Amino acid sequence: MKFLTFSSLFLAIQLSPAASFTPGAPKGHTHPKPHSNTHSNPTIPSLSLLMTESNKSKFKIVKHPTSDCQAVVLEANVAQDGVNLYIGIDSSSYGHVSRPGNGGIRLLHYASPRDAIEDAVRLAKGMTRKHDMFRTGFSGAKVVVKADHPDLSAVERKQLMEDVAEALHAFEGGLYTGCDLNTGDGDMDHLVEATGEKFVLAGRNSRVDTNVATASSVIGSVLGVVEAMEGTRDLSSLTFTVQGCGKVGSTVAKELVRLGAKKVQTCDLFAAAAEIQGCDRIDDWTSTPCDFLVPCANSLAITEEVATNFPEGIRYCVGATNSPFANDKAKEIFDKRGIMHIPESISSAGAILADSVEWYDIDLYQTVEPSLLYGWIRDISAAKASDLADHAEQKPHKVDSRLRNVVPSREGVPVGSDFPDWIDDNTIHTDTVIVGGGLAGTATAFSLSQKGVTSVLLEKGSSLAPPTASSNGDSRMYRKMYSSEFFSKMQAKALDRWEELEKLTGEKLLQENGLLFYGEDTGETVEGSVEGARQVMEKLNLPHRYYATGDEIADAYPVLEGCRGKPYSGVCEDTAGHIRASKACNAMAKAAGGNCQVKLNSKIIALDANRDDGKVVAITENGETIKANNAVISCGPWTNAVLNAANLPELNLDIWQVQWAHYEVDSDVAASIPQAFHFRKENDIDGGLYYVFPSSATESIQNGGKSYVKVGVDFPTGGPLKNMESFNYKGSQKVLELIDEWVKEHLPAVGKRFDSYCHPYTMTTDSYFVMDKVAENVAVFSGGSGRAFKFGPLLGDCMASLLTGDDAPVDLTNFSAKRPEIVGQTKISQSTTANSARSSCEQQEVIA
């Protein structure tokens, strides 16, 4: 196929005929490298210079450039009926191969050719504003396809892309395109084939999603303007309305939830699209109050009427929509109402920023972890939005007039060239990266710090021990009263470390209030048994009291009158008590001091432990890179997800949905309720294991001076899970009713249920943890099995010993990741061994 030379068509506005090619670009996908443009206002050429006889056979000028609108729209030939193909070029910035046009392919049913042509002009000029705003190296352009039929499936896509390819070839490197409205990956597959892998910037052979890139610029602009206006990036006081929940809008909504927005309201023409976890679906975005409107749908939706009647209280308008305002008057109404708007040339520039990187260094673009690119886009968008708001003196009506203050010169290298430096600037170097900020993660950071070892602790929640994790809450039991001598002795060592931690931090973390085991002869359970605990207490000569009958228990604890006459026995350890769980995690992180950098809201996306340099590299959802000598995976029910991301074998772990609740109780009665664990035989969904914490263990519940006790079960709701995808934090109503019935039977003086919770517990089949190396430079703690918290700092010492080679404080054989109960169907390299050091405590039990 012979293509015409397009340079003659734009002879008067071609600014640099030379084209250099990107060194090292993949074969068949070479890009002319953009140069600086020193001519910001080229002269509009006459039509005699624009068109030649040969050009007329391929293109027709349907919109001529004028002094008022320096834009050209060409209509290209197509081979199918019912379709018109228009190419809009903003000639005010166009530089052919030195500053090629760039804009996606938009496919729509337009009412008339004029509407499509006007849209091409508007969109091309809008693209120029985006490209100029960040100096991407491109000029504004847009490919607009007008479909006569409202049903776009009537368009023959392959043929259309072949027609687009012919036009792209005619530009000879002066036009690049990609996806836009109603075009997608399948279209790009056709286009790449038809162009011979040229002139297409659509994330080909890359994991980068340009929809997420656009969402990243929206989120960055949100954070930037809030910071400029309120001095913080905290979104917890703001209610957002996301209008339009397609690929971009839904991503924005989810990210706002992740960043802790007070409330995220979602609205879409298709109601199902607005059903997003953590969000509230609304039917009418124009009449629902919010602080922050985020338009991510059709253009021109904010009319004068909408702008006038939008509910009071709105303060911001930032989104992904190109041209969100129907006209200048609508924008002026928002300005006069004091609504700060960041223009889409900043907030919707994510995709063209990704294009700039793809253009500048295609090898990097095709291999980079996408979250790094998204993080870069978010950061530069935030900086630009904040800068604009500051230049406008935080006054909405000054934004438009101050916009030029944040637009860089067209001279200089494209912004995409900054990306590698940003990666370096956002790389943290440390000795150990710790994934998970619960008990094991904070304990490991504490222990490593005492050895002078630095760490970076990554927690995806908004706090250490966040509400979604296993380590959250007021209380966890500690006790020596085990059916296992090994764990009983291990608790004694752990108590010494807890005492040391309390002295270091000055915080009271352990509360001694005794613990009663009572109930039927159930045999051994995940929590042991009454008889097994009695035998170990006697053998180790530990102080305790034994109750042989239910009557004796009722006599000793009148509040447990329900035990009278039942075939129960009981054993009590007065030196047991509870640990303030969430406070303990924060205390260990505090004790780690400057040797540990805690990073919240930092979900890990990638973990590479197989590098030639022996380092471990972790990348977060925020786009940060942590390079370390070692890694610790201590993220409970998310363990296998992280192992999978690191290409390491998964472990045989189960996830239990475990429920508990708070109950009101009169203060005089509360003082008589012991900390207790009740054993009874299983019956259908009733696993038989119940516990109660006294009112001293529910200090976070503040409600009019009333007292509360915590009651829960130690059996799973439903069957065990293998991942968190189907975890239900609401739990089961049937299990709550079982807890209610147990309270009524065993604690009749206790009042109504106040609240309820369901938390994940990571379990092993033998109830021993996993505390071992799974690669030469990766150690794992998981499978706490509901009994790990009480060992706290001691677990940190064990994990630290795996990394430093020091002797472990206890024998780690039982916690091997290579034991049959854990390996399952996977195999862990036999060259990786756990720290085999033995403590002075003789091993009491060995797992076969």
Side-chain angles (χ1 to χ4, degrees), residues 130 134 202-203 206-221 247-249 251-252 319-320 346-358 365 370-381:
K130 291 183 183 182
F134 291 96
S206 169
R207 290 180 293 140
V208 173
D209 185 330
T210 53
N211 294 296
V212 180
T214 300
S216 299
S217 61
V218 175
I219 290 296
S221 299
K247 293 180 179 179
V248 174
T251 302
V252 169
I346 297 174
S347 64
S348 186
I352 59 103
L353 290 168
D355 284 350
S356 186
V357 174
E358 185 177 6
Y365 186 84
S371 64
L372 293 178
L373 185 63
Y374 306 148
W376 172 69
I377 291 171
R378 185 197 60 231
D379 277 7
I380 61 176
S381 301

Side-chain angles (χ1 to χ4, degrees), residues 9 19 43-44 68 189 202 254 262 274 327 361 445 470 514 530 537 575 706 719 748 795 823 828:
L9 180 63
T43 302
I44 299 299
D68 294 330
D189 289 340
K254 293 171 186 175
K262 178 181 178 181
N327 51 42
D361 189 341
S470 307
V530 175
M537 297 295 279
T575 57
K706 296 180 180 179
L795 299 182
V823 174
I828 297 176

Side-chain angles (χ1 to χ4, degrees), residues 16-172:
S16 176
S20 60
F21 289 84
T22 306
K27 183 178 180 181
H29 200 170
T30 54
H31 298 327
K33 187 165 255 185
H35 297 285
S36 64
N37 181 356
T38 58
H39 299 76
S40 58
N41 292 296
T43 302
I44 299 299
S46 67
L47 291 181
S48 61
L49 291 175
L50 282 171
M51 297 296 288
T52 67
E53 288 301 318
S54 60
N55 291 339
K56 289 178 182 178
S57 67
K58 293 289 184 180
F59 297 98
K60 177 174 64 175
I61 295 180
V62 294
K63 167 40 177 91
H64 300 271
T66 66
S67 58
D68 294 330
C69 180
Q70 298 180 8
V72 176
V73 179
L74 307 173
E75 183 175 1
N77 292 340
V78 293
Q80 60 181 302
D81 294 331
V83 170
N84 298 89
L85 175 58
Y86 300 108
I87 299 171
I89 298 288
D90 183 10
S91 53
S92 67
S93 66
Y94 186 68
H96 198 209
V97 293
S98 65
R99 188 176 171 83
N102 172 249
I105 304 170
R106 176 168 293 203
L107 171 62
L108 278 177
H109 168 64
Y110 290 93
S112 68
R114 178 180 177 179
D115 290 341
I117 292 166
E118 289 180 352
D119 210 22
V121 171
R122 179 180 62 83
L123 293 169
K125 294 185 74 65
M127 292 301 295
T128 290
R129 289 190 291 272
K130 291 183 183 182
H131 288 304
D132 280 353
M133 180 61 68
F134 291 96
R135 195 170 61 217
T136 64
F138 295 106
S139 62
K142 205 72 176 182
V143 179
V144 171
V145 181
K146 174 188 174 294
D148 290 348
H149 200 287
D151 182 2
L152 299 181
S153 65
V155 177
E156 208 293 299
R157 298 298 185 110
K158 187 173 187 295
Q159 180 60 62
L160 175 61
M161 291 303 120
E162 289 175 354
D163 294 334
V164 173
E166 185 168 350
L168 291 173
H169 273 292
F171 273 81
E172 295 184 321

Side-chain angles (χ1 to χ4, degrees), residues 248-285:
V248 174
S250 60
T251 302
V252 169
K254 293 171 186 175
E255 187 68 0
L256 290 171
V257 171
R258 187 183 75 85
L259 292 173
K262 178 181 178 181
K263 187 178 184 181
V264 180
Q265 301 169 157
T266 50
C267 186
D268 196 275
L269 289 174
F270 301 96
E275 295 288 354
I276 298 171
Q277 186 174 4
C279 301
D280 294 339
R281 185 181 66 81
I282 59 175
D283 294 324
D284 183 5
W285 64 274

Side-chain angles (χ1 to χ4, degrees), residues 348-558:
S348 186
I352 59 103
L353 290 168
D355 284 350
S356 186
V357 174
E358 185 177 6
W359 171 273
Y360 182 79
D361 189 341
I362 191 170
D363 291 332
L364 174 62
Y365 186 84
Q366 291 180 340
T367 58
V368 73
E369 169 58 44
S371 64
L372 293 178
L373 185 63
Y374 306 148
W376 172 69
I377 291 171
R378 185 197 60 231
D379 277 7
I380 61 176
S381 301
K384 187 76 73 172
S386 179
D387 196 20
L388 176 58
D390 287 342
H391 276 288
E393 302 170 25
Q394 288 77 47
K395 293 179 170 56
H397 68 276
K398 292 187 176 183
V399 167
D400 289 346
S401 63
R402 305 296 170 85
L403 196 58
R404 63 181 181 274
N405 294 335
V406 300
V407 178
S409 165
R410 289 176 182 166
E411 298 183 20
V413 294
V415 68
S417 65
D418 296 338
F419 181 44
D421 290 338
W422 182 91
I423 294 176
D424 289 340
D425 292 342
N426 284 270
T427 297
I428 302 171
H429 297 269
T430 188
D431 185 83
T432 304
V433 58
I434 301 172
V435 182
L439 166 75
T442 55
T444 301
F446 169 48
S447 184
L448 288 173
S449 177
Q450 290 192 308
K451 299 175 182 293
V453 178
T454 62
S455 64
V456 172
L457 190 154
L458 304 176
E459 168 53 55
K460 73 173 186 175
S462 59
S463 66
L464 293 174
T468 55
S470 307
S471 297
N472 179 267
D474 283 335
S475 53
R476 295 293 186 278
M477 293 183 184
Y478 72 87
R479 57 186 168 94
K480 299 175 186 175
M481 194 162 57
Y482 266 101
S483 296
S484 160
E485 292 182 38
F486 177 71
F487 280 121
S488 184
K489 292 179 179 180
M490 190 170 168
Q491 178 71 96
K493 286 178 173 287
L495 288 173
D496 291 338
R497 287 290 278 147
W498 280 117
E499 182 179 1
E500 181 181 349
L501 177 64
E502 287 182 320
K503 289 179 180 179
L504 283 171
T505 61
E507 296 196 39
K508 182 66 175 175
L509 303 175
L510 273 64
Q511 176 67 52
E512 184 178 290
N513 45 236
L515 172 63
L516 171 69
F517 268 24
Y518 76 101
E520 302 176 56
D521 181 8
T522 59
E524 291 303 310
T525 70
V526 293
E527 292 295 344
S529 68
V530 175
E531 182 59 23
R534 182 186 69 82
Q535 291 176 5
V536 168
M537 297 295 279
E538 289 181 351
K539 185 173 183 179
L540 298 181
N541 198 29
L542 297 173
H544 67 284
R545 294 193 306 278
Y546 178 67
Y547 305 101
T549 66
D551 289 355
E552 290 183 19
I553 297 171
D555 290 340
Y557 300 94

